[in-house]
Amino acid sequence: MIGYYVHHQGRGHCARAAAIGAQLRTDVVALTSAELTDPAFSEVVTLDRDDADPAPSDVDAGGLLHWAPRHDEGLRNRMAQLADFVATRRPAAMVVDVSVEVTLFLRLLGVPVVVMAMPGTRDDLPHQLAYRAADAVIAPWPDDLYRPDWLVEHLHKTVFTGGISRFDGRPQVSHPTFAADVLVLTGAGGDRRAPHPATGLADALPDLKVVGLGPSFGTWVDDPWPFLCSARLTVIGAGQGSVADAAAAGRPTVVMPEDRPFAEQRATAATLARSELALVASRWPDVDRWRSIVDSLGDSTPAWNRWQTAGAAGRAARAIEAVARQ
């Protein structure tokens, strides 16, 4: 049996875990504080939250860790649950997506650990501790497009899988019911307190069909695949899941990186711009610019196959199984 720790921020970690779990040839138990139900997992263990304290103290243990608030009951219970799981269920290996603290804790319990790498600037001490402690590192992007300096030390145990999309293998089928000139997708991990600028785009471009999907628009759909395949132009953030899904759909895309710790989305967006896979905008374009972008689409198709989404979840699963067999 393989244990799979899934971070609760947003929904991208859950979607990626489910895609990989479906490719693993053994039972997989998910451990998470997120709401997660998927047939890829034989069981889901719900962990206590460790972020309920409104005024946490000494969260980084003097710079050694990222999140270990002092005297936090949720953190204490969460780690106790992980220790109990290891002691009673004895997993052959654990996948961590993502947490430095969970990676180190599981390794201290003697469990082989596979860590999901994240883009951005990860040369800080906590990240490097986690990567050094890991038995294997999965980098869910193409190695010929992005190989950051901080990962060089760990290349001997790193598997570059390409972008992992939950839609890998599904036929690309477009349909007028789901068609849009501009499809704007927002995830669940960002700040939704301010109105999304796309809310006024439909009024500004009345001759174009503008569709917004996601929490920012109050129109979340569990399966956006037919919308992705049917859109002339897709607008997304630079989260790994969003980029992999857009790549699997193969449609022209505008990527607007959001502020994230360690410049995660900025790094991904820079890679996409450098590789000419998507148009990257650092700020919301004005109406004239949107008109120009849509008018310039033509019949061009970006070379999204370079993001290597085909078979990526399976490549990640084989790397995990290799660690479990050691």
Side-chain angles (χ1 to χ4, degrees):
M1 181 268 292
I2 292 171
Y4 204 127
Y5 173 85
V6 187
H7 199 280
H8 53 263
Q9 177 67 24
R11 304 197 187 192
H13 299 288
C14 291
R16 180 162 62 192
I20 295 172
Q23 297 295 320
L24 287 166
R25 295 170 291 197
T26 187
D27 285 346
V28 186
V29 177
L31 300 96
T32 183
S33 298
E35 294 183 7
L36 178 57
T37 57
D38 193 280
F41 306 110
S42 59
E43 181 184 347
V44 177
V45 176
T46 301
L47 300 176
D48 284 14
R49 295 284 292 243
D50 60 356
D51 54 2
D53 188 345
S57 64
D58 191 20
V59 299
D60 63 357
L64 186 65
L65 303 171
H66 289 150
W67 187 256
R70 193 188 300 274
H71 297 306
D72 187 279
E73 181 178 1
L75 176 65
R76 182 168 56 250
N77 293 342
R78 185 185 190 85
M79 292 303 186
Q81 288 172 297
L82 289 169
D84 180 70
F85 175 79
V86 169
T88 59
R89 306 293 292 275
R90 300 187 179 185
M94 291 286 297
V95 184
V96 179
D97 184 5
V98 287
S99 167
V100 165
E101 294 74 27
V102 171
T103 298
L104 297 175
F105 186 65
L106 291 171
R107 185 61 188 87
L108 284 168
L109 294 173
V111 183
V113 181
V114 179
V115 172
M116 300 295 297
M118 300 285 283
T121 306
R122 310 281 173 172
D123 57 359
D124 57 293
L125 176 58
H127 273 115
Q128 290 303 305
L129 279 174
Y131 296 143
R132 289 171 188 168
D135 291 79
V137 178
I138 293 176
W141 56 76
D143 62 339
D144 61 328
L145 299 186
Y146 182 55
R147 183 176 286 194
D149 291 341
W150 52 262
L151 194 53
V152 171
E153 176 186 342
H154 316 291
L155 287 178
H156 66 285
K157 57 182 177 181
T158 298
V159 177
F160 293 88
T161 63
I164 298 172
S165 170
R166 54 184 162 154
F167 302 124
D168 180 27
R170 287 183 62 174
Q172 296 180 6
V173 179
S174 62
H175 192 277
T177 301
F178 306 101
D181 294 297
V182 180
L183 172 67
V184 184
L185 294 176
T186 62
D191 184 357
R192 301 192 298 272
R193 290 173 293 184
H196 196 281
T199 54
L201 189 59
D203 293 335
L205 299 172
D207 58 320
L208 298 180
K209 184 177 180 181
V210 180
V211 175
L213 296 179
S216 298
F217 309 105
T219 53
W220 181 271
V221 294
D222 291 327
D223 184 13
W225 181 243
F227 293 92
L228 279 166
C229 294
S230 304
R232 291 182 63 199
L233 177 71
T234 300
V235 184
I236 60 171
Q240 289 178 281
S242 298
V243 172
D245 291 348
R251 306 300 301 145
T253 304
V254 172
V255 175
M256 304 194 64
E258 300 177 6
D259 290 330
R260 290 292 189 274
F262 308 101
E264 170 194 332
Q265 292 203 9
R266 304 287 177 190
T268 299
T271 299
L272 296 174
R274 184 173 60 251
S275 306
E276 299 183 344
L277 295 181
L279 175 64
V280 174
S282 58
R283 64 182 61 185
W284 188 258
D286 60 26
V287 173
D288 291 339
R289 178 58 176 149
W290 276 120
R291 171 69 67 187
S292 174
I293 292 171
V294 173
D295 289 346
S296 67
L297 289 176
D299 296 324
S300 61
T301 302
W304 272 121
N305 61 309
R306 296 183 65 198
W307 204 245
Q308 299 177 17
T309 57
R315 288 189 286 273
R318 302 294 85 79
I320 294 165
E321 290 171 343
V323 171
R325 287 195 301 267
Q326 290 177 2

